[in-house]
Amino acid sequence: MTLLLIGNHGSVFPGEVTRELRDNGISVSHVDFVSLAVERGDGTDATYASLLRNSRLPMKLQSLARIGILAKMLEESSEDIVHFHYARWFYFLLVPVIRRLGKPVAVTVYGSDYYRIPRWKRWLQRRFFHAVDAVTFTNEATMQSLLAEDGTLEAKCSVTRFGLTPLEAIDRYRGTDRERMRQALGVPGFPVTVCCGYNANTGQQHLKMIEALQKLPEPLRRTTLFLFPLTYGGSEPYKQSVISALKASGLHYTVLETFLHGELNAYVRLLPDIMVNMLVSDQLSGSMQEHLYAGNCVIAGTWLPYGVFEQRGVVMARADSFDALPRILAEQIGNLHGCEQYRDGNRRAIAALSRWDEVIGAWKALYAHLLREKR
């Protein structure tokens, strides 16, 4: 089986699913939508990338050139299946080519590609969805949102989740001494460590969180370290505003600013006792799943659509507002030993939901089904 995967070489998930599919015997040609370079496992084909570079169109028209060259690539492709990762709304321009291909075509919706475009673009996007053979989603909530708009797509919709590679590192370093983790991260020792969010994006609502944390009872503030990972995302001015607020807060805190890989990323999940996730919006936070898998007690906003976790038996505390956060956090700090009773259950649930060895079967089944149906 061979697959032409149109994704983004700079994005984590297309690269990881490419690796996992290859490990499972599927030959994958991974197209970078930005450059149109094709990575084939044994090297990179720059044929279509050179066409884009030589198009000589003004910058504002480069997207049209890219779509035209992508259409040529599809018509010349020899792979058994085409799979678009990230449903760019202007892919509706490829509908005539897709209908002529005579091979199965799938698209995976990531979430922001659907939620963060206006209604008129969603209408054009649905023309693309109607032309392909399968539309997959990383979670049920996004799929149901689309079906509420267009129920006629139901027969071709399904969920294919991405695995979380960091779960493997968490298992690898699970037995690491806590003092070693602290030293590696540059984090001082405190009786309790609370991780506040997981990146520097404004959607993490750090400033509101800091204001709420200052309302914790003084004995708890004195014995708790608040860990703020600002290692990616967000603007420099925003990060500086968070750091300024922390300096004025009177809280014991550590800010992490350097992007973390492998061992250090695992330590950020394993070291905290509690993780607080009060995002503005989310679908299926990978970082929060990593904290749950590592054994953290998690507090999440009630407005976040985490029904899929609850349906699978994951236990977490929920806060309906920042006003409620100090009380709920105090309760969790006072009951850390109680968290131990559901840590193993949380770990098993997250493993079933997001370990690559658990989820890759859905991708393989999708492709086998598409090939059967297209014969």
Side-chain angles (χ1 to χ4, degrees), residues 274-275 277 288 291-292 296-300 316-318 332:
I274 298 170
M275 185 264 190
N277 179 15
M288 188 186 78
H291 279 280
L292 286 163
N296 291 194
C297 303
V298 168
I299 301 171
M316 67 178 79
R318 304 299 291 263
Q332 293 298 301

Side-chain angles (χ1 to χ4, degrees), residues 109-121:
V109 180
Y110 277 47
S112 59
D113 45 353
Y114 174 74
Y115 288 112
R116 296 180 185 176
I117 59 175
R119 291 182 65 85
W120 68 271
K121 287 184 178 180

Side-chain angles (χ1 to χ4, degrees), residues 124-137:
L124 293 170
Q125 185 184 58
R126 289 202 299 277
R127 308 284 69 76
F128 173 59
F129 291 159
H130 277 281
V132 303
D133 300 282
V135 185
T136 83
F137 303 81

Side-chain angles (χ1 to χ4, degrees), residues 133-331:
D133 300 282
V135 185
T136 83
F137 303 81
T138 61
N139 62 82
E140 289 84 353
T142 308
M143 181 173 72
Q144 292 306 320
S145 293
L146 173 65
L147 293 178
E149 288 191 342
D150 190 343
T152 64
L153 290 166
E154 184 172 10
K156 62 175 65 178
C157 289
S158 63
V159 173
T160 49
R161 304 186 198 283
F162 292 114
L164 293 173
T165 300
L167 299 185
E168 300 166 14
I170 289 170
D171 280 338
R172 193 176 309 125
Y173 298 108
R174 193 179 290 278
T176 304
D177 179 74
R178 290 176 68 83
E179 187 55 35
R180 177 178 173 179
M181 290 192 279
R182 289 191 184 100
Q183 290 177 4
L185 293 170
V187 174
F190 274 77
V192 178
T193 301
V194 176
C195 187
C196 302
Y198 55 82
N199 64 30
N201 193 287
T202 57
Q204 300 281 341
Q205 306 195 90
H206 299 100
L207 299 178
K208 290 183 178 179
M209 199 181 305
I210 293 166
E211 185 179 352
L213 296 177
Q214 290 175 270
K215 297 175 183 177
L216 273 174
E218 196 277 333
L220 293 183
R221 283 187 281 118
R222 189 172 62 246
T223 57
T224 301
L225 177 76
F226 297 97
L227 184 63
F228 283 77
L230 306 182
T231 56
Y232 66 95
S235 66
E236 189 59 32
Y238 177 71
K239 285 195 282 188
Q240 291 306 314
S241 72
V242 173
I243 292 170
S244 295
L246 284 168
K247 287 179 178 177
S249 69
L251 300 171
H252 298 293
Y253 68 91
T254 294
V255 174
L256 302 176
E257 295 187 76
T258 304
F259 191 81
L260 304 173
H261 297 276
E263 180 180 359
L264 293 179
N265 187 61
Y267 291 170
V268 170
R269 310 309 189 215
L270 289 162
L271 180 61
D273 302 286
I274 298 170
M275 185 264 190
V276 179
N277 179 15
M278 301 289 278
L279 278 168
V280 171
S281 63
D282 189 33
Q283 287 303 311
L284 206 63
S285 168
S287 295
M288 188 186 78
Q289 290 184 66
E290 291 163 23
H291 279 280
L292 286 163
Y293 189 76
N296 291 194
C297 303
V298 168
I299 301 171
T302 55
W303 56 90
L304 297 172
Y306 291 156
V308 64
F309 295 128
E310 293 161 354
Q311 291 162 13
R312 291 168 182 260
V314 170
V315 178
M316 67 178 79
R318 304 299 291 263
D320 61 11
S321 67
F322 282 94
D323 288 338
L325 180 59
R327 174 181 57 79
I328 294 171
L329 180 55
E331 291 172 356

Side-chain angles (χ1 to χ4, degrees), residues 337-357:
H337 292 297
C339 292
E340 294 177 2
Q341 63 184 321
Y342 53 78
R343 280 177 181 161
D344 286 346
N346 281 355
R347 183 166 64 180
R348 287 192 297 270
I350 297 302
L353 191 68
S354 293
R355 276 187 64 100
W356 270 115
D357 56 3

